[in-house]
Structures are given as C-alpha cells and as structure tokens.
Amino acid sequence: MLRLIALLFIVVGLNDVLASPTQVLLEVPKGPRQLHGRFLQITDMHPDPYYVEHTAKKTACHRKKGRTSKNQASYYGTPFSDCDSPFTLTNFTLDYLDKQWASEVDFVIWTGDNARHDNDPKVPRTPDEIYGLNRAMTAKMKEVFTSKGIPVVPSLGPNSITNEFAKIWETFVPFPYLQVFQRGAYYSKEVIPDKVAAISLNTMYFYDSNKAVGGCGFHDRDDPGNLQLDWLEVQLKTYRYRNMQFSFLEAIDLDFTKDKSDMEGRSNFRDKTLLYNILLQEFAALPTDPNKLDYADYAVVNTAPPVVPNPYMPSFRIFAYNVTGMESKPKVNKDRQHGHWRGDRHDKDAYCRSKKNQETWKCFLNETWNSDPESPSRSNKLWSPLGYAQYYLPDLEAANAKHKPKFKLEYLTFAPEQLHPPENSTGRKFHYPIPLVQLPKSLQDSGVTESKFAPYMMADLTIGSWVELAQRLGDRQEKKLRGRFRKYMYMGSE
C-alpha cells in the first residue's frame, strides 16, 4: 500500500463549492507588482498585556519579583520560559520587519496565535481579551505590510474563535471566501494572482484532542473536518486545471504516520531527546537506493519558530523561491493527468475485503493520487522553493529600555555560493535569495564556500533535496551535521 511519508523537519530554533473564483487582491495597488522571490513566515506572537518586567517567571511573568535575576522577566521577553511576549517584543519585531524586510518580500505567511496562553489561573483569559489582542496585532500587520500592498495570509491558531475572526481578518480573507471562512475558518488566497496560491487550513478539525468535532469520521459526512476536505479537493482540482502552484499553511501540524490510516493531530513532544531520536530513526530508514525512491510518496512539513520566547528565542524565517521565467503567461491545462493509484491495488483489495475495513475512507476513496514529477516541488524551476534564512534574537535577556536587542542570522539552508551570482553569469538578471546587507560580513564575500551559518548546503527545498538531507542525518557518520541539527531544533535550550 502506498504510504505518504511526511519528512518532519522541526528546526525551531519545513495544494462543495462549484469553483475557486478568480481572486482580486484588494490590498494590492493597481498594476503588476515587481517580485523579489522572497516571502516572510512569522508565527505565534502571543502578546501578553499582563507581562511585567522583573516579575517572577513562575507567575507567567505577571507578578511577584523574582528572587534572582535568572528568575526574573526581562524587558523584551524571557526565553526558555513559560512567559508570553511583552508588547515591547512584538512591537520591536514588527517595527524591525517594517524597516528591514517589508520592501524585500512579496507576501507574508502569518500563522499561530496572537493572544497570550491561558496559563495563569489568577488572571484567566477571556474571549474579549482574545478579540482585543488579535485586533491589535491585525492593525499592526496592516500598518507594516498590507498598507504597502503586501498580501498577508493568516492562519487560525488553536486559541482563536472563528466567527469574530471573520470581522477581524476581513482585510486578509478574500471576499469570495468570507462565507467559507465564517463556516470553518479555512480559505484560499492567490498571493501571486493566477500563478501561486496559499491554502490556509483549519487543522483543529483534524486535531485528536478537539472533542468538539468528530475527527473526519466515515459515517459523519457533515463532520467539519470532512466538509473541509471536500472543499479542499475542489480547490486542488481547480488550481490544477488553472496550472497554478499552491502551498498549505496551518497552525497545528498534521501527522501522516505510516502505521495509521487516518489523519490525526500530532501531540507536542515534551521529551526533546525522544523527538530527536525518533526523527533520526525515521531518516535512517529512508531508502538509499535511488531506484527504490519515489518522491511522490513524500511530503515535507516545516515547523516554523515562533516570535514568543516560550520556550525558545524569538525568530522568523525568510524564504526564497524561484522567479526565473515569471513573465510567461499561465496555461490552462485541461489534459494534465499526472497520477497513479492510491497504493498497491492488490494489497488494498485484500485490506478492503475485511468487513471491519469496508466502511473506511481508505476503501472509499478510489481516485488517482495526483503527482507531477515536473512540478516545482520536485525539480528546481519557476516557483520552486530555494531555501530559507532564520533570524533570531540571541541577546534578549541582556537587552533593556536603553539597549535594544539585535536580530541576527542563526543559520540558512543555502550553500554560500548560492547567495551570489555565478562567476560566468551573463544576460539574465540574478535574484539574490537573501539581500547581502542582511547577511553577516563573512557571507557577503562571494569567494566563501563554507560557513558556520550554512550547515546544510542544500541545493534547494524540493522534495529530493529534503530527502537527501534526511538521508545524511540518518547516517551515523554525520556526527557534526547531527549536532548542528539538534542545536537548531532547540536553539540551545538543552
């Protein structure tokens, strides 16, 4: 039976409505936008209006002075703690992005929660507080990005409430999808009209701890998760017909484990060593023989680092993607039929003959599994993801009202030579994946071929490149690479 295997790279610190309507990005000024080939991913800001400097960490940084400086809340936030973000941190981060990155990105992927965690029984969080904090963060995102014509694609976090968000996010959700959003908090948005779309899913409908829904049960066709998947199938067919590319975003990662037939939520791993070891075991089990690898069996899940320093350090990512040849017009391809059956037919037939398995989605779904070996996710071409750079605030605790923290490059997936034009390049304009001014001085030198900031040396972020990295991490001989991977997973918190 065919297995969809998710390569989970947790490096905290990686497409029935009648048709998907053509979308008009109301916030984008008239005329074509000049694309930079980059987008920002920012997640989980969790602003806390009750955060007070110098208070005790054990009170969620709300009251009582900490006995020592190590136990006290810092001015810009308290890393590796259970405290949420002070407004000094969220404002500093968005002001920094406004000045340094807003003119360098094409769109923004904004996921996660924008209200504090409900982790202080003495100050319980209320719906009004959730609404108020989200309105405040939305206003700031509009100021920094939307007002400049930069599309913002938010995704609902687990602490959000649907109906009110249709009003709060009205600017971000395309008008044709407002009704869908009000019903289920999912929608689609063309971040590059007629070419690239982002599909914002509400994965809480698939989350195993959400007792308000049925978990996509076979006998409950009106279950919110099933309705969302019906809607999603239409979106994918429509985008395939229009020859468009798309990407998914969600606040909670899905689990596509090989020993379970249904999608279900992934629980948070509290045991860091356990998660690290499980990943290495999964990576070591990958086939090394190219003839045994079918990239159609794989997907990549990128878990982004949050702004909230709970429990790591504030971070964001800048992704680069291929914009070479973007001037060409999209073609409507009615005959695009790349696909294969869902697994070994004989195995599935045997499985579905069993009475207990007959009334399951696995035996009910018989359409082909669409997979295009020529897609941008499989080979480097127009719209392919090329790499990302992760920035963070390493000196957060040392900063104060007089001395601001500084965002620094933590690492990037590129090889150093990819950051500069090829030596013999002529004619075609080179799109810098990361502006040179945003790189450390050592990487601004085009002659550099190795760097501590470039541990992975990935050619791009296609599925083949991710599988290759996973295979390297699965090799016991790659001790240095494994060490860097573990460090970036937990941003030095171990």
Side-chain angles (χ1 to χ4, degrees), residues 343-421:
D344 188 313
R345 297 298 297 167
H346 300 291
D347 285 351
K348 181 174 178 180
D349 289 343
Y351 176 87
C352 294
R353 279 196 295 271
S354 171
K355 205 166 187 179
K356 68 176 183 179
N357 297 329
Q358 286 176 0
E359 293 188 345
T360 63
W361 287 119
K362 183 182 292 185
C363 296
F364 180 81
L365 301 174
N366 292 306
E367 293 188 24
T368 56
W369 182 292
N370 292 295
S371 175
D372 185 354
E374 298 302 318
S375 71
S377 66
R378 300 275 289 279
S379 61
N380 191 347
K381 52 171 57 73
L382 178 63
W383 312 127
S384 290
L386 299 177
Y388 68 79
Q390 182 161 304
Y391 293 84
Y392 74 135
L393 287 175
D395 56 346
L396 195 64
E397 290 182 295
N400 53 46
K402 294 183 179 180
H403 300 90
K404 295 181 180 180
K406 293 182 180 180
F407 273 105
K408 297 180 180 179
L409 177 68
E410 184 181 14
Y411 74 95
L412 36 71
T413 62
F414 306 92
E417 55 266 28
Q418 294 173 289
L419 304 172
H420 302 271

Coordinates of all heavy atoms in Angstrom, one line a residue, residues 343-421:
G343 N -1.8 3.4 -3.9 CA -1.2 2.2 -3.3 C -1.3 1.0 -4.2 O -1.8 1.0 -5.3
D344 N -0.8 -0.1 -3.7 CA -0.8 -1.4 -4.4 C -2.2 -1.9 -4.5 O -2.9 -2.1 -3.4 CB 0.1 -2.4 -3.7 CG 0.3 -3.7 -4.5 OD1 -0.7 -4.2 -5.0 OD2 1.4 -4.1 -4.6
R345 N -2.8 -2.0 -5.6 CA -4.2 -2.4 -5.8 C -4.5 -3.7 -5.1 O -5.6 -3.9 -4.5 CB -4.6 -2.4 -7.2 CG -4.5 -1.1 -8.0 CD -5.4 -0.1 -7.4 NE -6.8 -0.4 -7.5 CZ -7.8 0.2 -6.9 NH1 -7.5 1.2 -6.0 NH2 -9.0 -0.2 -7.0
H346 N -3.6 -4.7 -5.2 CA -3.9 -6.0 -4.7 C -3.9 -5.9 -3.1 O -4.8 -6.5 -2.5 CB -2.8 -7.0 -5.1 CG -2.8 -7.2 -6.6 ND1 -3.8 -7.8 -7.3 CD2 -1.9 -6.8 -7.5 CE1 -3.5 -7.8 -8.6 NE2 -2.3 -7.2 -8.8
D347 N -2.9 -5.2 -2.6 CA -2.9 -5.0 -1.1 C -4.2 -4.3 -0.6 O -4.8 -4.7 0.4 CB -1.7 -4.2 -0.7 CG -0.4 -5.0 -0.7 OD1 -0.5 -6.3 -1.0 OD2 0.6 -4.5 -0.6
K348 N -4.6 -3.3 -1.3 CA -5.8 -2.5 -0.9 C -7.0 -3.4 -1.1 O -7.9 -3.4 -0.2 CB -5.9 -1.3 -1.7 CG -7.1 -0.4 -1.3 CD -7.2 0.9 -2.0 CE -8.5 1.6 -1.6 NZ -8.6 3.0 -2.3
D349 N -7.1 -4.2 -2.2 CA -8.3 -5.0 -2.4 C -8.4 -6.0 -1.2 O -9.5 -6.3 -0.7 CB -8.2 -5.8 -3.7 CG -8.4 -4.8 -4.9 OD1 -8.9 -3.7 -4.7 OD2 -8.0 -5.2 -6.0
A350 N -7.3 -6.6 -0.8 CA -7.3 -7.6 0.3 C -7.7 -6.9 1.6 O -8.5 -7.4 2.4 CB -5.9 -8.2 0.4
Y351 N -7.2 -5.7 1.8 CA -7.5 -4.9 3.0 C -9.0 -4.6 3.1 O -9.6 -4.7 4.1 CB -6.7 -3.7 3.0 CG -6.9 -2.7 4.2 CD1 -6.3 -2.9 5.4 CD2 -7.9 -1.7 4.0 CE1 -6.5 -2.0 6.4 CE2 -8.1 -0.8 5.1 CZ -7.4 -1.0 6.3 OH -7.7 -0.1 7.3
C352 N -9.6 -4.2 1.9 CA -10.9 -3.8 1.9 C -12.0 -4.9 1.9 O -13.2 -4.7 2.0 CB -11.2 -2.8 0.8 SG -10.2 -1.3 0.9
R353 N -11.5 -6.1 1.7 CA -12.4 -7.3 1.8 C -12.8 -7.6 3.2 O -13.8 -8.2 3.5 CB -11.8 -8.5 1.1 CG -11.9 -8.5 -0.4 CD -11.7 -9.9 -1.0 NE -10.3 -10.4 -0.8 CZ -9.3 -10.2 -1.6 NH1 -9.5 -9.5 -2.7 NH2 -8.1 -10.6 -1.4
S354 N -12.0 -7.1 4.1 CA -12.3 -7.3 5.5 C -13.5 -6.5 5.9 O -13.5 -5.3 5.6 CB -11.1 -7.0 6.4 OG -11.4 -6.9 7.8
K355 N -14.4 -7.1 6.6 CA -15.7 -6.4 7.0 C -15.4 -5.1 7.8 O -16.0 -4.1 7.6 CB -16.6 -7.3 7.7 CG -18.1 -6.9 7.6 CD -18.9 -8.1 8.1 CE -20.4 -7.7 7.8 NZ -21.3 -8.8 8.2
K356 N -14.5 -5.2 8.7 CA -14.2 -4.0 9.6 C -13.6 -2.9 8.8 O -13.6 -1.7 9.3 CB -13.3 -4.5 10.8 CG -11.9 -4.8 10.4 CD -11.0 -5.1 11.6 CE -9.6 -5.4 11.2 NZ -8.8 -5.7 12.4
N357 N -13.0 -3.1 7.7 CA -12.3 -2.1 6.9 C -13.2 -1.5 5.8 O -12.8 -0.5 5.2 CB -11.0 -2.6 6.3 CG -10.0 -3.0 7.4 OD1 -10.0 -2.5 8.5 ND2 -9.2 -4.0 7.1
Q358 N -14.2 -2.2 5.5 CA -15.0 -1.7 4.3 C -15.6 -0.3 4.4 O -15.6 0.4 3.4 CB -16.1 -2.8 4.0 CG -15.6 -4.1 3.5 CD -16.7 -5.1 3.3 OE1 -17.9 -4.8 3.6 NE2 -16.4 -6.3 2.8
E359 N -16.0 0.0 5.6 CA -16.6 1.4 5.7 C -15.6 2.3 6.3 O -15.7 2.8 7.5 CB -17.9 1.3 6.6 CG -19.0 0.5 5.9 CD -20.3 0.6 6.6 OE1 -20.3 1.0 7.8 OE2 -21.4 0.3 6.1
T360 N -14.5 2.5 5.6 CA -13.4 3.4 6.0 C -13.1 4.3 4.8 O -13.3 3.9 3.6 CB -12.2 2.7 6.5 OG1 -11.6 1.9 5.4 CG2 -12.5 1.8 7.6
W361 N -12.5 5.5 5.0 CA -12.1 6.3 3.9 C -11.1 5.7 3.0 O -11.1 5.9 1.8 CB -11.6 7.7 4.5 CG -12.7 8.6 5.1 CD1 -12.7 9.0 6.3 CD2 -13.8 9.1 4.4 NE1 -13.8 9.8 6.5 CE2 -14.5 9.9 5.3 CE3 -14.3 9.0 3.1 CZ2 -15.7 10.6 5.0 CZ3 -15.4 9.7 2.7 CH2 -16.1 10.5 3.7
K362 N -10.2 4.9 3.6 CA -9.2 4.2 2.8 C -9.8 3.4 1.7 O -9.3 3.3 0.6 CB -8.3 3.4 3.7 CG -7.1 2.7 2.9 CD -6.3 1.9 3.8 CE -5.6 2.7 4.9 NZ -4.6 1.9 5.7
C363 N -10.9 2.7 2.0 CA -11.5 1.8 1.0 C -12.6 2.6 0.1 O -13.0 2.1 -0.9 CB -12.2 0.7 1.7 SG -11.0 -0.4 2.5
F364 N -13.0 3.8 0.6 CA -14.0 4.5 -0.1 C -13.3 5.4 -1.2 O -13.9 5.6 -2.3 CB -14.8 5.4 0.8 CG -15.9 6.2 0.2 CD1 -17.1 5.6 -0.1 CD2 -15.6 7.5 -0.1 CE1 -18.1 6.4 -0.7 CE2 -16.6 8.3 -0.7 CZ -17.9 7.7 -1.0
L365 N -12.2 5.9 -1.0 CA -11.5 6.9 -1.9 C -10.7 6.1 -2.9 O -9.8 5.4 -2.6 CB -10.6 7.8 -1.1 CG -11.3 8.7 0.0 CD1 -10.2 9.4 0.7 CD2 -12.3 9.6 -0.7
N366 N -11.1 6.2 -4.2 CA -10.5 5.4 -5.2 C -10.0 6.3 -6.4 O -9.6 5.7 -7.4 CB -11.5 4.4 -5.8 CG -11.9 3.4 -4.7 OD1 -11.0 2.7 -4.2 ND2 -13.1 3.2 -4.5
E367 N -10.0 7.6 -6.3 CA -9.4 8.4 -7.3 C -7.9 8.3 -7.3 O -7.3 7.9 -6.4 CB -9.8 9.9 -7.1 CG -11.3 10.1 -7.3 CD -11.6 11.6 -7.3 OE1 -10.7 12.4 -7.6 OE2 -12.8 12.0 -7.1
T368 N -7.3 8.7 -8.4 CA -5.9 8.6 -8.5 C -5.2 9.6 -7.6 O -5.8 10.7 -7.4 CB -5.4 8.8 -10.0 OG1 -5.9 10.1 -10.4 CG2 -5.9 7.7 -10.9
W369 N -4.0 9.3 -7.2 CA -3.2 10.2 -6.4 C -2.4 11.0 -7.4 O -1.5 10.5 -8.1 CB -2.3 9.4 -5.5 CG -1.4 10.2 -4.6 CD1 -0.4 11.0 -5.0 CD2 -1.5 10.2 -3.2 NE1 0.2 11.5 -3.9 CE2 -0.5 11.1 -2.8 CE3 -2.4 9.7 -2.3 CZ2 -0.3 11.4 -1.4 CZ3 -2.2 9.9 -0.9 CH2 -1.1 10.8 -0.5
N370 N -2.7 12.3 -7.5 CA -2.0 13.2 -8.5 C -0.7 13.6 -8.0 O -0.4 14.1 -6.9 CB -2.9 14.4 -8.7 CG -4.2 14.1 -9.4 OD1 -4.2 13.7 -10.6 ND2 -5.3 14.3 -8.7
S371 N 0.3 13.3 -8.9 CA 1.7 13.6 -8.6 C 2.4 13.9 -9.9 O 2.4 13.1 -10.8 CB 2.4 12.5 -7.9 OG 3.7 12.7 -7.7
D372 N 3.0 15.1 -10.0 CA 3.6 15.6 -11.2 C 5.1 15.6 -11.0 O 5.6 16.5 -10.2 CB 3.1 16.9 -11.6 CG 3.6 17.4 -12.9 OD1 4.5 16.7 -13.5 OD2 3.2 18.5 -13.4
P373 N 5.9 14.8 -11.6 CA 7.4 14.8 -11.4 C 8.0 16.1 -12.0 O 9.2 16.4 -11.6 CB 7.9 13.6 -12.2 CG 6.8 13.3 -13.2 CD 5.5 13.7 -12.5
E374 N 7.3 16.9 -12.8 CA 7.8 18.1 -13.3 C 7.3 19.3 -12.5 O 7.5 20.5 -12.9 CB 7.3 18.3 -14.8 CG 7.8 17.2 -15.7 CD 9.3 17.1 -15.7 OE1 10.0 18.2 -15.7 OE2 9.9 16.0 -15.7
S375 N 6.7 19.1 -11.4 CA 6.2 20.2 -10.5 C 7.3 20.9 -9.8 O 8.4 20.4 -9.7 CB 5.2 19.7 -9.5 OG 5.9 19.0 -8.5
P376 N 7.2 22.2 -9.5 CA 8.2 22.9 -8.8 C 8.6 22.3 -7.4 O 9.7 22.7 -6.9 CB 7.6 24.3 -8.6 CG 6.6 24.4 -9.6 CD 6.0 23.1 -9.8
S377 N 7.8 21.5 -6.8 CA 8.2 20.8 -5.6 C 9.2 19.7 -5.8 O 9.8 19.2 -4.9 CB 7.0 20.3 -4.8 OG 6.3 19.3 -5.6
R378 N 9.3 19.2 -7.1 CA 10.1 18.1 -7.4 C 11.4 18.4 -8.1 O 12.4 17.7 -8.0 CB 9.3 17.1 -8.2 CG 8.0 16.6 -7.6 CD 8.2 15.4 -6.7 NE 8.5 14.2 -7.4 CZ 7.6 13.5 -8.0 NH1 6.3 13.8 -7.9 NH2 8.0 12.4 -8.7
S379 N 11.4 19.5 -8.9 CA 12.6 19.9 -9.6 C 12.7 21.4 -9.6 O 11.6 22.1 -9.7 CB 12.6 19.3 -11.0 OG 11.5 19.8 -11.8
N380 N 13.8 22.0 -9.6 CA 14.0 23.4 -9.5 C 13.7 24.1 -10.8 O 14.3 24.0 -11.8 CB 15.5 23.7 -9.1 CG 15.7 25.2 -8.7 OD1 14.8 26.0 -8.9 ND2 16.8 25.5 -8.1
K381 N 12.6 24.9 -10.7 CA 12.1 25.7 -11.8 C 11.3 26.8 -11.3 O 11.3 27.1 -10.0 CB 11.3 24.8 -12.8 CG 10.2 24.0 -12.1 CD 9.2 23.4 -13.1 CE 9.9 22.5 -14.0 NZ 10.4 21.2 -13.4
L382 N 10.6 27.5 -12.1 CA 9.8 28.7 -11.7 C 8.8 28.3 -10.5 O 8.2 27.3 -10.6 CB 8.9 29.2 -12.9 CG 7.9 30.3 -12.6 CD1 8.7 31.6 -12.1 CD2 7.1 30.6 -13.8
W383 N 8.9 29.0 -9.4 CA 8.1 28.9 -8.2 C 8.6 27.9 -7.2 O 8.1 27.7 -6.2 CB 6.6 28.6 -8.5 CG 5.9 29.5 -9.5 CD1 5.3 29.1 -10.6 CD2 5.9 30.9 -9.5 NE1 4.8 30.2 -11.3 CE2 5.2 31.3 -10.7 CE3 6.5 31.9 -8.7 CZ2 5.0 32.6 -11.0 CZ3 6.2 33.2 -9.0 CH2 5.5 33.6 -10.2
S384 N 9.7 27.2 -7.6 CA 10.3 26.2 -6.6 C 10.8 26.9 -5.4 O 11.4 28.0 -5.5 CB 11.4 25.5 -7.3 OG 11.0 24.6 -8.3
P385 N 10.7 26.4 -4.2 CA 11.3 26.9 -3.0 C 12.8 26.7 -3.1 O 13.2 25.5 -3.3 CB 10.6 26.2 -1.9 CG 10.2 24.9 -2.5 CD 9.9 25.2 -3.9
L386 N 13.6 27.7 -2.8 CA 15.0 27.6 -2.9 C 15.7 27.4 -1.6 O 16.8 26.8 -1.6 CB 15.6 28.8 -3.7 CG 15.0 29.1 -5.1 CD1 15.6 30.4 -5.6 CD2 15.4 27.9 -6.0
G387 N 15.2 28.0 -0.6 CA 15.9 27.9 0.7 C 15.3 29.0 1.7 O 14.4 29.8 1.3
Y388 N 15.8 29.0 2.9 CA 15.4 30.0 3.9 C 16.5 30.4 4.8 O 17.5 29.6 5.0 CB 14.1 29.5 4.7 CG 14.4 28.4 5.7 CD1 14.9 28.7 6.9 CD2 14.0 27.1 5.4 CE1 15.1 27.6 7.8 CE2 14.1 26.1 6.3 CZ 14.7 26.4 7.5 OH 14.9 25.3 8.4
A389 N 16.4 31.6 5.3 CA 17.3 32.1 6.3 C 16.5 32.3 7.6 O 15.4 32.9 7.6 CB 17.9 33.4 5.9
Q390 N 17.0 31.8 8.7 CA 16.3 32.0 10.0 C 17.0 33.0 10.9 O 18.2 32.9 11.1 CB 16.3 30.7 10.8 CG 15.5 30.8 12.1 CD 15.1 29.4 12.6 OE1 14.4 28.7 11.9 NE2 15.5 29.0 13.8
Y391 N 16.3 34.0 11.3 CA 16.8 35.1 12.1 C 16.2 35.0 13.6 O 15.1 34.6 13.7 CB 16.5 36.5 11.5 CG 17.2 36.7 10.2 CD1 16.7 36.2 9.0 CD2 18.4 37.4 10.2 CE1 17.3 36.5 7.8 CE2 19.0 37.7 9.0 CZ 18.5 37.2 7.8 OH 19.1 37.4 6.6
Y392 N 17.1 35.4 14.5 CA 16.6 35.3 15.9 C 17.2 36.4 16.8 O 18.1 37.1 16.3 CB 16.9 33.9 16.5 CG 18.4 33.6 16.8 CD1 18.7 33.0 18.0 CD2 19.4 34.0 15.9 CE1 20.1 32.7 18.3 CE2 20.7 33.7 16.2 CZ 21.1 33.1 17.4 OH 22.4 32.8 17.7
L393 N 16.7 36.5 18.0 CA 17.2 37.4 19.0 C 18.0 36.7 20.1 O 17.5 36.3 21.1 CB 16.1 38.2 19.6 CG 15.4 39.3 18.8 CD1 14.2 39.8 19.5 CD2 16.4 40.4 18.4
P394 N 19.3 36.5 19.9 CA 20.1 35.7 20.9 C 20.4 36.5 22.2 O 20.7 35.8 23.2 CB 21.4 35.4 20.1 CG 21.6 36.6 19.2 CD 20.2 37.0 18.8
D395 N 20.4 37.8 22.2 CA 20.7 38.6 23.3 C 19.5 39.2 24.0 O 19.6 40.3 24.6 CB 21.7 39.7 23.0 CG 21.2 40.6 21.9 OD1 20.2 40.2 21.2 OD2 21.8 41.7 21.6
L396 N 18.4 38.5 24.0 CA 17.2 39.0 24.5 C 17.3 39.4 26.0 O 16.8 40.5 26.4 CB 16.1 38.0 24.4 CG 14.6 38.5 24.5 CD1 14.3 39.5 23.4 CD2 13.6 37.3 24.4
E397 N 17.8 38.6 26.9 CA 17.9 38.9 28.3 C 18.8 40.0 28.6 O 18.6 40.7 29.7 CB 18.3 37.6 29.1 CG 17.2 36.5 29.0 CD 17.6 35.3 29.8 OE1 18.5 34.6 29.4 OE2 16.9 35.0 30.8
A398 N 19.8 40.3 27.8 CA 20.7 41.4 28.1 C 20.2 42.7 27.7 O 20.7 43.8 28.1 CB 22.0 41.1 27.4
A399 N 19.1 42.7 26.8 CA 18.6 44.0 26.3 C 17.7 44.6 27.4 O 17.1 44.0 28.3 CB 17.8 43.7 25.1
N400 N 17.6 45.9 27.3 CA 16.7 46.7 28.2 C 16.2 47.9 27.5 O 16.4 48.1 26.3 CB 17.5 47.0 29.5 CG 18.8 47.8 29.2 OD1 18.8 48.7 28.4 ND2 19.8 47.3 29.9
A401 N 15.6 48.8 28.2 CA 15.0 50.0 27.6 C 16.0 50.9 26.9 O 15.7 51.6 25.9 CB 14.2 50.8 28.7
K402 N 17.2 50.9 27.3 CA 18.3 51.7 26.7 C 19.1 50.9 25.7 O 19.7 51.6 24.8 CB 19.2 52.2 27.8 CG 18.6 53.2 28.8 CD 19.6 53.7 29.8 CE 19.0 54.7 30.8 NZ 20.0 55.2 31.7
H403 N 19.1 49.6 25.8 CA 19.9 48.8 24.8 C 19.0 47.8 24.2 O 18.6 46.8 24.8 CB 21.1 48.1 25.5 CG 22.0 49.1 26.2 ND1 21.9 49.5 27.5 CD2 23.1 49.7 25.7 CE1 22.9 50.3 27.8 NE2 23.6 50.5 26.7
K404 N 18.7 48.1 22.9 CA 17.7 47.2 22.2 C 18.4 45.9 21.8 O 19.7 45.9 21.5 CB 17.2 47.9 20.9 CG 16.3 49.1 21.3 CD 15.8 49.8 20.0 CE 15.0 51.0 20.3 NZ 14.4 51.6 19.0
P405 N 17.7 44.8 21.6 CA 18.3 43.6 21.1 C 18.5 43.7 19.6 O 18.0 44.6 19.0 CB 17.2 42.5 21.4 CG 15.9 43.3 21.4 CD 16.3 44.7 22.0
K406 N 19.2 42.8 19.0 CA 19.5 42.8 17.6 C 19.2 41.4 17.0 O 19.7 40.4 17.5 CB 21.0 43.1 17.4 CG 21.4 44.5 17.8 CD 22.9 44.7 17.5 CE 23.3 46.2 17.9 NZ 24.7 46.4 17.5
F407 N 18.4 41.5 15.9 CA 18.2 40.2 15.2 C 19.4 39.9 14.4 O 20.1 40.7 13.8 CB 17.0 40.4 14.2 CG 15.7 40.2 14.8 CD1 14.8 41.2 15.1 CD2 15.2 38.9 15.0 CE1 13.6 41.0 15.6 CE2 14.0 38.6 15.6 CZ 13.1 39.7 15.9
K408 N 19.8 38.6 14.5 CA 20.9 38.1 13.8 C 20.6 36.8 13.0 O 19.6 36.1 13.4 CB 22.0 37.8 14.8 CG 22.6 39.0 15.6 CD 23.7 38.6 16.6 CE 24.2 39.8 17.3 NZ 25.2 39.4 18.3
L409 N 21.4 36.5 12.0 CA 21.2 35.3 11.3 C 21.6 34.1 12.1 O 22.7 34.1 12.6 CB 22.0 35.3 10.0 CG 22.0 34.0 9.1 CD1 20.6 33.8 8.5 CD2 23.0 34.0 8.0
E410 N 20.7 33.2 12.3 CA 21.1 32.0 13.1 C 21.7 30.9 12.1 O 22.8 30.4 12.4 CB 19.9 31.4 13.8 CG 20.3 30.2 14.6 CD 19.1 29.5 15.3 OE1 17.9 29.8 15.0 OE2 19.3 28.7 16.3
Y411 N 21.0 30.6 11.0 CA 21.5 29.7 10.0 C 20.7 29.9 8.8 O 19.6 30.5 8.8 CB 21.5 28.3 10.5 CG 20.1 27.7 10.5 CD1 19.6 26.9 9.5 CD2 19.2 27.9 11.6 CE1 18.3 26.4 9.5 CE2 18.0 27.3 11.7 CZ 17.5 26.6 10.6 OH 16.2 26.1 10.6
L412 N 21.2 29.3 7.7 CA 20.4 29.3 6.4 C 20.6 27.9 5.8 O 21.5 27.2 6.1 CB 20.7 30.4 5.5 CG 22.2 30.9 5.4 CD1 23.0 29.9 4.7 CD2 22.2 32.3 4.6
T413 N 19.7 27.6 4.9 CA 19.8 26.3 4.2 C 20.6 26.3 3.0 O 21.0 25.2 2.5 CB 18.4 25.8 3.8 OG1 17.8 26.7 2.9 CG2 17.5 25.7 5.0
F414 N 20.9 27.4 2.4 CA 21.7 27.6 1.2 C 23.2 27.2 1.4 O 23.7 27.3 2.5 CB 21.7 29.0 0.7 CG 20.3 29.6 0.5 CD1 19.7 30.3 1.5 CD2 19.7 29.5 -0.7 CE1 18.5 30.9 1.4 CE2 18.4 30.0 -0.9 CZ 17.8 30.7 0.2
A415 N 23.8 26.8 0.3 CA 25.3 26.8 0.3 C 25.7 28.3 0.0 O 25.1 29.0 -0.6 CB 25.8 25.9 -0.8
P416 N 26.9 28.7 0.6 CA 27.3 30.1 0.5 C 27.4 30.6 -0.9 O 27.0 31.8 -1.2 CB 28.7 30.1 1.1 CG 28.6 29.0 2.2 CD 27.8 27.9 1.5
E417 N 27.8 29.8 -1.9 CA 28.0 30.2 -3.3 C 26.6 30.5 -3.9 O 26.5 31.3 -4.9 CB 28.7 29.2 -4.1 CG 28.1 27.8 -4.1 CD 28.8 26.9 -3.1 OE1 29.3 27.5 -2.0 OE2 28.8 25.7 -3.3
Q418 N 25.5 30.0 -3.4 CA 24.2 30.3 -3.9 C 23.7 31.7 -3.6 O 22.7 32.2 -4.2 CB 23.2 29.3 -3.4 CG 23.4 27.8 -3.9 CD 22.5 26.9 -3.1 OE1 22.6 26.6 -2.0 NE2 21.5 26.4 -3.9
L419 N 24.4 32.3 -2.7 CA 24.0 33.7 -2.3 C 24.5 34.8 -3.2 O 24.1 35.9 -3.1 CB 24.5 34.0 -0.8 CG 24.1 32.9 0.2 CD1 24.8 33.2 1.5 CD2 22.6 33.0 0.4
H420 N 25.3 34.3 -4.2 CA 25.9 35.3 -5.1 C 25.7 34.8 -6.6 O 25.5 33.7 -6.8 CB 27.4 35.4 -4.8 CG 27.7 35.9 -3.4 ND1 27.8 37.2 -3.1 CD2 27.9 35.1 -2.3 CE1 28.1 37.3 -1.8 NE2 28.1 36.0 -1.3
P421 N 25.8 35.8 -7.5 CA 25.7 35.4 -8.9 C 26.8 34.4 -9.3 O 27.9 34.5 -8.8 CB 25.8 36.7 -9.7 CG 25.6 37.8 -8.7 CD 26.0 37.2 -7.4

